[in-house]
């Protein structure tokens, strides 16, 4: 049980808002030493894990590419595309993206979307353009709401979709821990099957919230227009 002290270190470090990299490093070293590994073996495990995981340095390539695409007009092209689709609203667009993100994650394609590579440069600008076409110029508050809903569509779709895939890390971790601790024979397919109802409920619940975004933006737009009309009327009366 002493090996589990590494989890307590992670929880305590995040609760006190310490440096995440430092917290995880200390927790890993502590877990390795309590597990009977020598300092050399712990260092070798860190080195082997870093060398075998290409995703650690993937952001070094991804972020500059996204920056160059945005500088070359990726967001403007996304807005232009939405301008041609007259019947597509912000809520409908984000609902379609939610379903796509969940289905792709259920097939193991978890890296297709993401806040950095999909939401910020493409999905959020398209949703903003769809909202502006229907409701006029957005206020800063409404614009931030559309962006937050775009990020939530990606997060919810990934979180509940990836558990339906047999070879995802979380499913394998749960089955391995349960089988080793309780001496059962839980298969990843069984856990994935039980994740499907949760994924369907998440799609229905959050999809409804995304569709209601259009009505919320419509109400806010009406209130703003009334306030502007009232201020213009008062200004005209004052000028007279």
């Amino acid at each position: 049980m002493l090996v589990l002290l590494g989890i307590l270190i992670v929880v305590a470090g995040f609760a006190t808002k310490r440096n995440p990299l430092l917290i995880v490093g200390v927790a890993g070293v502590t877990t390795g030493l309590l597990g009977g590994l020598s300092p050399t073996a712990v260092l070798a495990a860190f080195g082997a894990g870093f060398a075998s995981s290409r995703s650690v340095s993937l952001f070094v390539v991804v972020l500059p590419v996204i920056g160059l695409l945005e500088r070359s007009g990726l967001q403007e092209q996304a807005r232009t595309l939405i301008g041609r689709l007259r019947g597509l609203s912000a809520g409908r667009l984000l609902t379609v993206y939610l379903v796509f993100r969940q289905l792709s994650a259920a097939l193991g394609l978890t890296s297709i979307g993401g806040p950095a590579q999909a939401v910020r440069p493409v999905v959020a600008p398209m949703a903003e353009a769809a909202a502006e076409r229907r409701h006029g110029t957005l206020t800063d508050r409404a614009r931030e709401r559309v962006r937050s809903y775009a990020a939530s569509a990606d997060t919810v779709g990934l979180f509940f979709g990836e558990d339906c895939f047999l070879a995802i890390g979380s499913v394998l971790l749960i089955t391995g821990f349960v089988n080793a601790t309780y001496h059962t024979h839980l298969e990843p397919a069984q856990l994935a099957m039980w994740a499907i109802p949760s994924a369907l409920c998440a799609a229905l619940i959050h999809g409804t919230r995304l569709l209601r975004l259009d009505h919320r933006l419509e109400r806010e737009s009406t209130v703003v227009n009334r306030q502007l009309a009232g201020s213009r009327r008062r200004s005209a009366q004052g000028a007279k």
Side-chain angles (χ1 to χ4, degrees), residues 74-176:
L74 178 62
Q75 294 186 356
E76 287 74 11
Q77 292 298 324
R79 291 175 179 270
T80 303
L81 176 62
I82 286 299
R84 299 173 182 173
L85 304 176
R86 299 297 179 183
L88 192 62
S89 63
R92 294 173 184 173
L93 170 66
L94 295 180
T95 302
V96 171
Y97 180 72
L98 168 67
V99 175
F100 166 76
R101 185 70 164 126
Q102 197 169 64
L103 291 177
S104 61
L107 297 175
L109 304 176
T110 57
S111 300
I112 288 182
Q117 59 267 40
V119 175
R120 185 184 184 278
V122 179
V123 178
M126 293 174 70
E128 292 178 30
E132 289 178 346
R133 187 187 61 231
R134 175 167 293 194
H135 308 293
T137 303
L138 300 177
T139 62
D140 292 339
R141 183 176 181 180
R143 192 176 303 277
E144 291 299 326
R145 178 174 290 109
V146 172
R147 293 174 180 176
S148 65
Y149 271 72
S152 69
D154 185 274
T155 303
V156 173
L158 173 63
F159 185 84
F160 289 95
E162 65 178 359
D163 288 339
C164 301
F165 186 59
L166 302 180
I168 202 69
S170 58
V171 173
L172 298 178
L173 176 63
I174 294 172
T175 53

